Amino acid sequence: MTGQLARRYRRLLFAYPRAYRRARGDELVGALLDAAGSDRTRPSVREATNLVGHGLRARLGRPASRTVVAWAVLTTVVCGLLAAAFATRAGWETARPLPRTAEAQAMLAEILPDQKFTGIEDEPALFTIYGSPLGRSTVRELLLGDGGEYSQAGVAGSAPLPPMTDPAEIVDQARHNMRAHGWRVYRPIFQDLYGCTGPPCDPTTIPQSTIIVAGRGDTTFTLEVTPTDSYNPGRISGGFLRATPVAVYPLALAGGIAGALVAFLLFAWASRRTEGRHPARAMVKTLLGIALFLWWAPTLLAVPSMAWHTIDEPHPSWHPMWEWLGQPVFSLFFVLGCGSALLGLALAALPGRAPQRAHSPG
Amino acid sequence: MREPTFLILTALADGPRHGYGIVQEVRVLSGGRTSLLTGTLYTALDRLTAEGLIEPDREEEVDGRVRRYYRLRTEGLAALTDETARLRQLTTAAEARLRAVRPEPA
């Protein structure tokens, strides 16, 4: 009975680093068996959770440090999020290509049969930057300030608003036809055509465009009806996008967990390696701080604005996860952060004095 | 100093103890309120060792189980002495205030 329980305890001790298990494993198991009494065959859930938690803490080394856990959490979480974002992008590869021009024309004819939409063109990819898929020639733009131009591509066209037509009639007709053809139609969004701060301009008299968003299967549709004003004729524009593919969700979860795990183990390895008097100890800590700033700052900037935008307007399909992390708008930050982290890991790997393990046997 | 740390140092004040011995002593000292789990205890022992307050003493094997003993270092004894004085001062001050609020019956 004791042997079985000891084996189970030893299995839980895999949460501790190997050197720790070698030095202290027998002692820990002895203490656990003493505490367990004679009638137990398996560790309690509380014991198991406690051992795994403290085993992970032991992996970080630096037993006297009160901040190493916080740094580990910051690193693990942001790396998990970034890895999940990459996995999300990979998941998008399972999406169907965008509708071709003819298919888009046919769907627009279902929604507004009396209007003649023009300017519809096939898109080369689901995500484009300046109309082209991301490639070697566009990476420079992506990194150097134009990352925000990398976004979901849509197949769109427009038609003139017929003279003397109330935009509300077009909106009502479109909503009716969309529902009849199986689209889920969301509440309309109204946007001022221009801004003004007060007299002599009356904000209540500003003409507004009406935006309708809808979803059907793996396609989302946006219709914008702009009334005629003093300067421009009224227009109707409609565009189709692909909704987030189902595969994105499990891939993001798996990618996030894998990324967080790898980041934690690398952090723990570097932390244990540089404890004591490692020659690059201070530099490794500085490089980690730089990497965390470069990864977290875009995330902390982007999350509130994306959350507000998502709450403020209906979304048949949410924006891709990387946009919530401020990417690729701040892709240069991300790349520099990766460089800093890799340099830190390389310096941690430098030979130095053996780490001083406080938990080594005396 | 947190209470579990204070209790662990107190448990070692009268001589070296092994891991489970510390757990038992802490339970007694705290009147059963503090029951340390083994993972928690060893993280605390690692920290106190790194801080130079305790150190491993000797090892023995009982019924096939390895037991390593830990003892207070001089620094640990000093830290425990200081913390005890601090707690005593606080306790004395609190008792004085309580006596003023609730005078003992004649």
Side-chain angles (χ1 to χ4, degrees), chain A residues 168-188:
Chain A
E169 279 179 33
I170 299 289
V171 170
D172 289 344
Q173 185 190 7
R175 285 162 64 92
H176 176 268
N177 288 340
M178 278 192 270
R179 288 204 180 95
H181 286 91
W183 291 89
R184 183 181 173 195
V185 184
Y186 293 76
R187 66 176 166 81

Side-chain angles (χ1 to χ4, degrees), chain A residues 256-272:
Chain A
I257 291 170
L261 185 65
V262 169
F264 176 82
L265 292 175
L266 284 174
F267 178 97
W269 171 81
S271 172
R272 292 200 305 276

Side-chain angles (χ1 to χ4, degrees), chain A residues 8-9 11-16 28 32 40 42-58, chain B residues 36-41 43:
Chain A
R8 286 175 171 153
Y9 279 135
R11 231 172 278 152
L12 288 170
L13 293 189
F14 274 100
Y16 286 79
L28 264 161
L32 285 160
R40 292 262 300 279
R42 56 182 65 245
S44 68
V45 174
R46 188 161 164 255
E47 258 182 341
T49 312
N50 182 262
L51 280 176
V52 170
H54 286 283
L56 295 177
R57 171 64 185 87
Chain B
L36 293 173
L37 286 173
T38 307
T40 310
L41 171 72
T43 297

Side-chain angles (χ1 to χ4, degrees), chain A residues 12-315:
Chain A
L12 288 170
L13 293 189
F14 274 100
Y16 286 79
R18 188 166 49 184
Y20 192 102
R21 288 199 306 273
R22 281 184 183 155
R24 310 282 293 280
D26 291 341
E27 181 192 353
L28 264 161
V29 171
L32 285 160
L33 291 172
D34 283 341
S38 57
D39 55 343
R40 292 262 300 279
T41 57
R42 56 182 65 245
S44 68
V45 174
R46 188 161 164 255
E47 258 182 341
T49 312
N50 182 262
L51 280 176
V52 170
H54 286 283
L56 295 177
R57 171 64 185 87
R59 280 187 179 273
L60 301 176
R62 303 169 191 262
S65 171
R66 298 206 183 262
T67 58
V68 71
V69 174
W71 291 113
V73 169
L74 284 174
T75 306
T76 303
V77 170
V78 79
C79 288
L81 290 172
L82 289 166
F86 273 103
T88 298
R89 181 63 189 86
W92 267 96
E93 291 300 314
T94 63
R96 282 199 302 150
L98 281 164
R100 310 286 293 181
T101 303
E103 190 187 345
Q105 286 277 20
M107 287 192 285
L108 284 168
E110 286 175 355
I111 295 165
L112 288 172
D114 301 331
Q115 312 305 325
K116 172 81 176 158
F117 284 86
T118 58
I120 304 172
E121 289 179 8
D122 290 343
E123 283 290 332
L126 288 168
F127 293 92
T128 56
I129 176 167
Y130 292 123
S132 303
L134 186 63
R136 284 185 185 178
S137 59
T138 45
V139 164
R140 189 183 164 85
E141 279 88 356
L142 185 88
L143 289 174
L144 300 179
D146 286 347
E149 299 297 330
Y150 179 79
S151 59
Q152 209 178 344
V155 177
S158 64
L161 182 68
M164 311 303 288
T165 305
D166 181 359
E169 279 179 33
I170 299 289
V171 170
D172 289 344
Q173 185 190 7
R175 285 162 64 92
H176 176 268
N177 288 340
M178 278 192 270
R179 288 204 180 95
H181 286 91
W183 291 89
R184 183 181 173 195
V185 184
Y186 293 76
R187 66 176 166 81
I189 307 159
F190 302 99
Q191 283 185 347
D192 291 348
L193 292 188
Y194 51 84
C196 75
T197 52
C201 165
D202 178 3
T204 59
T205 62
I206 299 173
Q208 289 184 315
S209 67
T210 308
I211 299 166
I212 303 289
V213 290
R216 185 175 70 180
D218 64 352
T219 307
T220 68
F221 176 64
T222 304
L223 179 80
E224 181 168 7
V225 183
T226 309
T228 302
D229 64 16
S230 316
Y231 307 102
N232 297 300
R235 293 201 72 73
I236 308 165
S237 53
F240 299 95
L241 296 150
R242 283 287 175 235
T244 307
V246 175
V248 158
Y249 301 105
L251 276 172
L253 187 65
I257 291 170
L261 185 65
V262 169
F264 176 82
L265 292 175
L266 284 174
F267 178 97
W269 171 81
S271 172
R272 292 200 305 276
R273 215 174 144 80
T274 55
E275 68 181 318
R277 277 181 279 172
H278 188 276
R281 178 186 165 109
M283 182 57 79
V284 171
K285 286 166 84 170
T286 306
L287 288 167
L288 171 71
I290 292 170
L292 287 179
F293 171 77
L294 292 170
W295 289 338
W296 270 111
T299 303
L300 295 177
L301 282 174
V303 165
S305 64
M306 288 298 293
W308 175 248
H309 168 72
T310 305
I311 293 166
D312 195 37
E313 293 179 8
H315 284 74

Side-chain angles (χ1 to χ4, degrees), chain B residues 25-103:
Chain B
E25 191 63 15
V26 163
R27 195 176 295 138
V28 171
L29 286 167
S30 66
R33 282 181 295 110
T34 302
S35 181
L36 293 173
L37 286 173
T38 307
T40 310
L41 171 72
Y42 276 87
T43 297
L45 292 177
D46 291 342
R47 180 170 52 77
L48 294 171
T49 305
E51 289 171 350
L53 301 182
I54 64 169
E55 63 188 354
D57 184 64
R58 66 181 191 277
E59 242 178 61
E60 65 181 22
E61 196 169 320
V62 177
D63 299 332
R65 296 175 189 174
V66 174
R67 286 177 172 175
R68 180 172 290 135
Y69 285 72
Y70 295 85
R71 65 168 175 259
L72 272 190
R73 295 185 66 191
T74 313
E75 294 85 348
L77 193 59
L80 180 60
T81 306
D82 290 348
E83 183 65 7
T84 306
R86 190 183 71 84
L87 292 174
R88 185 184 301 118
Q89 187 265 321
L90 290 175
T91 310
T92 306
E95 280 175 346
R97 294 287 172 98
L98 287 172
R99 270 198 302 274
V101 177
R102 286 179 284 180

